[in-house]
Amino acid sequence: MGTTSDGDRPWESYHTVYTNAKAGMDGVDKERVQRVIYEMSKGSKYFENEQRKEAFLKQRIERMHAQCAKLTTNDIAHFQMIADKRILESEAARDLSKIWLHSDMDAFYAAVEMLDNPSLKGKPLAVGSMSMICTANYEARKFGVRAAMPGFIARKLCPNLVFVPTNFDKYMYYSEMTRKVFRRYDPYFIATSLDEAYLNITDVCKERGVSSQEVAEELRNAIFEETSLTCSAGVAPNRLLAKVCSDINKPNGQFILPNERKAIMAFISSLPIRKIGGIGKVTEHILRDVLGINTCEEMLKKSAYLCALFSPCSIDFFISAALGLGSTDTPQFSLRKSMSSERTFSGTEDQSLLYQKLDEIADSLSNDMQIESLFGRTLTLKLKTASFEVRTRALSLQKYIQSKEDILSHATRLLKAELPLSLRLIGLRMSHFRDDKHGSGDPMQKTITSFIFSGDASENVLCDNHSAGTDTSDDPLIGNDLCFQDDQNVPSLGSRHPELVDEQCFNNDVDGWKKIDGFKSSAKTDEMEMYSRTESNVEVNETGKFPDNRAVYPSTREGLAFWIDDYICSLCGCELPPSFIEERQEHSDYHLAEMLQKEESTNNLSKLMQERPIDKGSSATGTSRKRQKSSPKGSKHIPIDFFFKRNKEV
DNA sequence: TTTGTCACGGAGG
DNA sequence: GAGGGCCTCCGTGACAAA
Ligand SMILES: Cc1cn([C@H]2C[C@H](O)[C@@H](COP(=O)(O)OP(=O)(O)OP(=O)(O)O)O2)c(=O)[nH]c1=O
Ligand SMILES: [Mg+2]
């Protein structure tokens, strides 16, 4: 495939994610690493699939090239005007009033393992398995070993590599210790994973009259004293930049970017675009090969071409990032949108075996859903063929389901339609959760709580980003767009982008519950045991929001009340065991109605509503892209039918 | 025109 | 000797129905 001569150096055309610059990889012999990876890979089904993907990407790049070539000078002038306008608008929204700190633990899982077993110190260590490693310590990184690399390749790179399986209990335990420190600096801190968090230290600096540099030092020292683990910190006026900064002097270092436009531009200009959260391997490749963009400065220079080639969403993201803009607000927490379970096994076309796998996965998903009292109505079957091609097949129901039996019966139908096939992975994902936590039911019937919080009542409140489901889109080859969205930092051809836009729902992490780097199973359950029942529920969501111990379960919209020890109402102390589902909902609705009454009398309802994941339309850095829903907003008075408006679902 | 559904892929930890 | 994870989020485009 390579247009260049693959002939004598074939490994150079096998692009992996492993050669990307990363902390601890400085002195690595990259050519050797590339070669070893290539040698271990070539000929494998995985490798062939990667090549297929690369070929598609190449076609895509060629199409974009052609598109560029067709532009007349007139066109370019036109797009330059559009770009300049966007640049001006973005610049006008620059907010330098906040100070954000991003904290990132160093080789977190590996560091915890070394702490737990000091004999590992000084040895190259990988956490994970022979098929995939989660992270590696800095000794191992010298050999090119890193996260997301298969263990058998890592061992080839570093024959003395020690493997340790993951222990999420431990990581959660230490993570919680670090969060206790974070909490002291910003009770609303945003945890984006077990080992990363954003803290708004504006007030700390102001109130104590200390510099952000001092706060960063103090915080890192506190973490070290309390956990014996090191971390790195980045300080900047927004989260996008803070995240970039924390990587600069990693490990065990910090970097402060002052809140001055000049300093920011100097910093960002020479920054390789790949350092920006949301620009991954593919986006980097496209921007480099199509437009010759490698740095943020170049991105700005080529802004007219960006406007010609990409969607408004992507354009905004690129331009904002190139200007060093990012989110400065503290986002509202958001609810879980999907939950999934998937398993890889050795490829087979034995149908009874495949149905058995499906059974296990349905069971696992159902259990997970029960733990969080979730009922969903969109089920997506995911398959990976023996040749690594991925397919998804979805189905939306009238009713919300949770039981294994229900899940399995629908999943079986979906699978049946695809067989025969030789598969290596089966997965199930549930989405479109009910707005409250109870049993099945007709989507038409909502409780007051769910009705109000769901946004049917006042659209502008919603976070429900995109109109549709969570599974999405088709034919990636048609558009060029990369799309970014918000959150911490992460865009890509269809992924969230970072810090830029503020708005809408951020899922500040969600981690903590399952996903967690991919080894959820034990994670979720353990976390439940560990935290719930103490004040931990807070922990879970606390990823940012409820410093006052007003626990709220993740992804449930039960309303204002939650159940202490799972049976005492947090608001009035009345006791209702979990099995009293209907009663509980009524009870919760009662508190909500009561509250609404109070709120309304003080004209504050709109404020209450906005406390949910919200819009914020055009916030400071507001690059918000979202399709805006037209909605009557801002009305102070609530008409009675507000409470009875029908929900539009099927 | 708007809204919902579905498929696919990028991204990050 | 072969072997390449698991979870969550999101945007886009195609298509159908309202
Ligand atoms: C990339 C990746 C990371 N992880 C986990 C393991 C890591 O400890 C954690 C953070 O990932 P990394 O960003 O790779 O960082 P790290 O903490 O291991 O090391 P450092 O920050 O010093 O570079 O996320 C996974 O579980 N799966 C993955 O695929
Ligand atoms: Mg880290």
Side-chain angles (χ1 to χ4, degrees):
Chain A
M1 23 171 318
T3 49
T4 55
S5 60
D6 303 2
D8 39 345
R9 309 166 75 79
W11 58 86
E12 289 181 352
S13 59
Y14 179 40
H15 299 119
T16 67
V17 79
Y18 310 119
T19 45
N20 180 36
K22 226 202 159 241
M25 314 289 292
D26 287 347
V28 179
D29 178 350
K30 290 202 182 138
E31 169 148 341
R32 170 176 175 268
V33 173
Q34 272 275 104
R35 226 171 35 231
V36 170
I37 293 173
Y38 175 79
E39 289 301 326
M40 297 292 288
S41 300
K42 72 172 179 213
S44 70
K45 289 178 176 165
Y46 176 83
F47 179 82
E48 281 167 18
N49 187 251
E50 288 300 297
Q51 292 207 308
R52 252 193 44 240
K53 284 170 24 186
E54 283 238 9
F56 276 114
L57 180 57
K58 203 178 147 210
Q59 285 179 25
R60 182 170 174 187
I61 287 172
E62 276 164 14
R63 276 199 311 275
M64 294 176 80
H65 245 134
Q67 220 175 320
C68 276
K70 269 194 288 195
L71 294 174
T72 64
T73 40
N74 243 351
D75 293 334
I76 294 173
H78 167 72
F79 286 119
Q80 189 63 62
M81 268 179 53
I82 295 177
D84 290 343
K85 183 158 172 263
R86 283 189 190 282
I87 291 173
L88 277 179
E89 286 165 0
S90 302
E91 185 59 56
R94 189 186 291 274
D95 174 7
L96 296 176
S97 68
K98 304 272 180 20
I99 305 175
W100 281 95
L101 182 151
H102 179 249
S103 166
D104 183 340
M105 303 302 293
D106 302 324
F108 186 54
Y109 299 173
V112 169
E113 295 299 341
M114 289 160 74
L115 197 58
D116 212 51
N117 177 0
S119 74
L120 294 171
K121 268 190 197 162
K123 298 179 186 163
L125 172 69
V127 177
S129 69
M130 221 32 95
S131 59
M132 188 57 61
I133 71 186
C134 228
T135 193
N137 67 0
Y138 282 75
E139 293 294 318
R141 290 185 199 193
K142 289 179 195 158
F143 295 84
V145 174
R146 47 187 291 179
M149 179 180 275
F152 66 90
I153 292 182
R155 193 179 48 186
K156 190 81 172 184
L157 286 169
C158 173
N160 293 324
L161 187 61
V162 180
F163 284 84
V164 176
T166 50
N167 285 288
F168 281 97
D169 304 6
K170 281 194 237 167
Y171 313 145
M172 286 187 291
Y173 174 78
Y174 282 98
S175 177
E176 179 51 27
M177 288 173 72
T178 67
R179 291 177 185 190
K180 283 203 168 93
V181 178
F182 297 153
R183 213 165 281 139
R184 302 205 293 262
Y185 291 84
D186 176 10
Y188 298 98
F189 75 90
I190 304 164
T192 52
S193 68
L194 285 183
D195 84 320
E196 289 182 29
Y198 293 94
L199 286 73
N200 179 345
I201 56 169
T202 315
D203 293 343
V204 180
C205 293
K206 209 177 289 172
E207 284 160 17
R208 289 177 38 196
V210 289
S211 67
S212 54
Q213 164 103 20
E214 290 166 307
V215 171
E217 259 159 30
E218 193 183 298
L219 177 124
R220 294 199 306 115
N221 283 335
I223 287 179
F224 184 71
E225 271 166 32
E226 292 172 40
T227 66
S228 303
L229 296 169
T230 65
C231 70
S232 301
V235 173
N238 62 55
R239 293 199 295 279
L240 179 100
L241 291 174
K243 166 109 179 160
V244 174
C245 290
S246 68
D247 196 50
I248 302 274
N249 287 321
K250 178 168 263 299
N252 197 15
Q254 60 185 54
F255 182 86
I256 281 77
L257 184 61
N259 288 30
E260 294 157 14
R261 184 175 184 284
K262 221 174 152 186
I264 293 167
M265 292 313 287
F267 174 78
I268 198 95
S269 290
S270 59
L271 196 72
I273 54 174
R274 184 63 190 274
K275 294 274 182 190
I276 306 276
I279 296 184
K281 180 185 145 198
V282 171
T283 308
E284 176 190 39
H285 201 129
I286 289 176
L287 291 179
R288 174 166 29 83
D289 287 9
V290 177
L291 300 174
I293 294 174
N294 291 291
T295 65
C296 288
E297 187 179 27
E298 288 161 358
M299 202 146 62
L300 220 45
K301 280 195 190 130
K302 300 275 182 174
S303 55
Y305 288 91
L306 294 176
C307 289
L309 293 175
F310 298 99
S311 71
C313 176
S314 305
I315 297 167
D316 274 356
F317 170 68
F318 291 141
I319 288 182
S320 297
L323 290 170
L325 301 171
S327 299
T328 57
D329 66 316
T330 295
Q332 296 298 320
F333 71 90
S334 75
L335 304 169
R336 174 193 283 287
K337 293 185 173 53
S338 69
M339 177 178 273
S340 64
S341 179
E342 65 186 48
R343 218 52 55 187
T344 295
F345 41 86
S346 56
T348 179
E349 33 189 342
D350 179 334
Q351 306 209 358
S352 63
L353 216 65
L354 293 174
Y355 284 115
Q356 186 193 321
K357 297 288 179 195
L358 189 67
D359 183 284
E360 292 165 15
I361 291 159
D363 188 53
S364 153
L365 178 60
S366 175
N367 285 332
D368 291 350
M369 288 175 65
Q370 280 170 41
I371 290 171
E372 293 187 34
S373 302
L374 294 169
F375 288 79
R377 55 177 276 263
T378 298
L379 183 65
T380 304
L381 172 71
K382 174 178 170 182
L383 305 175
K384 194 187 286 176
T385 65
S387 51
F388 289 86
E389 285 168 271
V390 176
R391 291 182 199 178
T392 59
R393 295 291 177 263
L395 146 72
S396 289
L397 309 164
Q398 292 290 101
K399 297 217 164 218
Y400 291 97
I401 60 171
Q402 180 190 55
S403 72
K404 175 192 168 184
E405 292 68 32
D406 285 339
I407 292 174
L408 188 58
S409 76
H410 292 109
T412 303
R413 271 193 313 159
L414 288 172
L415 179 59
K416 201 180 249 167
E418 303 300 314
L419 298 180
L421 265 182
S422 180
L423 299 176
R424 72 183 331 273
L425 172 147
I426 293 181
L428 287 173
R429 173 166 71 252
M430 190 68 79
S431 51
H432 271 126
F433 295 124
R434 250 188 97 141
D435 286 344
D436 58 78
K437 307 164 66 167
H438 318 102
S440 76
D442 171 352
M444 292 296 286
Q445 293 289 334
K446 288 190 168 186
T447 60
I448 291 182
T449 311
S450 64
F451 171 74
I452 289 178
F453 282 154
S454 74
D456 277 357
S458 79
E459 300 110 286
N460 56 339
V461 174
L462 262 225
C463 130
D464 170 13
N465 287 322
H466 63 326
S467 42
T470 65
D471 317 304
T472 69
S473 123
D474 182 290
D475 198 359
L477 293 175
I478 302 262
N480 301 325
D481 288 334
L482 314 186
C483 266
F484 305 74
Q485 158 197 335
D486 194 280
D487 196 313
Q488 23 173 20
N489 299 312
V490 189
S492 107
L493 277 177
S495 138
R496 54 231 236 111
H497 60 141
E499 319 274 346
L500 281 198
V501 173
D502 297 66
E503 117 154 82
Q504 70 197 322
C505 358
F506 272 37
N507 83 157
N508 309 329
D509 182 16
V510 192
D511 153 318
W513 280 89
K514 22 183 351 171
K515 97 172 209 171
I516 300 206
D517 320 306
F519 298 74
K520 98 183 177 200
S521 54
S522 67
K524 183 170 18 175
T525 354
D526 297 333
E527 181 155 344
M528 280 301 281
E529 284 163 12
M530 241 171 120
Y531 296 134
S532 59
R533 194 156 306 261
T534 66
E535 55 176 27
S536 59
N537 299 333
V538 172
E539 164 49 17
V540 175
N541 266 344
E542 172 210 53
T543 72
K545 300 336 90 92
F546 290 81
D548 57 346
N549 282 3
R550 180 80 59 84
V552 169
Y553 282 89
S555 146
T556 63
R557 310 177 188 184
E558 195 166 283
L560 308 165
F562 79 97
W563 304 94
I564 298 168
D565 285 340
D566 214 24
Y567 74 99
I568 303 169
C569 172
S570 61
L571 297 179
C572 67
C574 106
E575 300 179 9
L576 271 178
S579 54
F580 286 54
I581 294 175
E582 297 299 321
E583 290 81 357
R584 276 200 184 196
Q585 183 59 46
E586 279 174 30
H587 188 83
S588 186
D589 285 345
Y590 161 78
H591 280 304
L592 179 63
E594 193 181 49
M595 178 126 180
L596 285 172
Q597 238 177 340
K598 275 188 212 155
E599 292 286 340
E600 198 218 356
S601 62
T602 49
N603 247 352
N604 266 347
L605 178 64
S606 59
K607 183 172 164 242
L608 171 71
M609 310 285 252
Q610 308 231 345
E611 267 162 10
R612 303 299 294 182
I614 222 209
D615 127 334
K616 130 190 352 166
S618 57
S619 61
T621 51
T623 331
S624 112
R625 195 97 298 278
K626 303 296 51 214
R627 233 170 259 184
Q628 307 272 10
K629 300 187 184 181
S630 53
S631 69
K633 44 168 81 175
S635 66
K636 292 185 183 157
H637 197 67
I638 309 149
I640 187 70
D641 63 336
F642 169 97
F643 295 98
F644 298 96
K645 190 166 145 198
R646 303 248 322 176
N647 147 3
K648 302 167 240 190
E649 294 178 73
V650 178

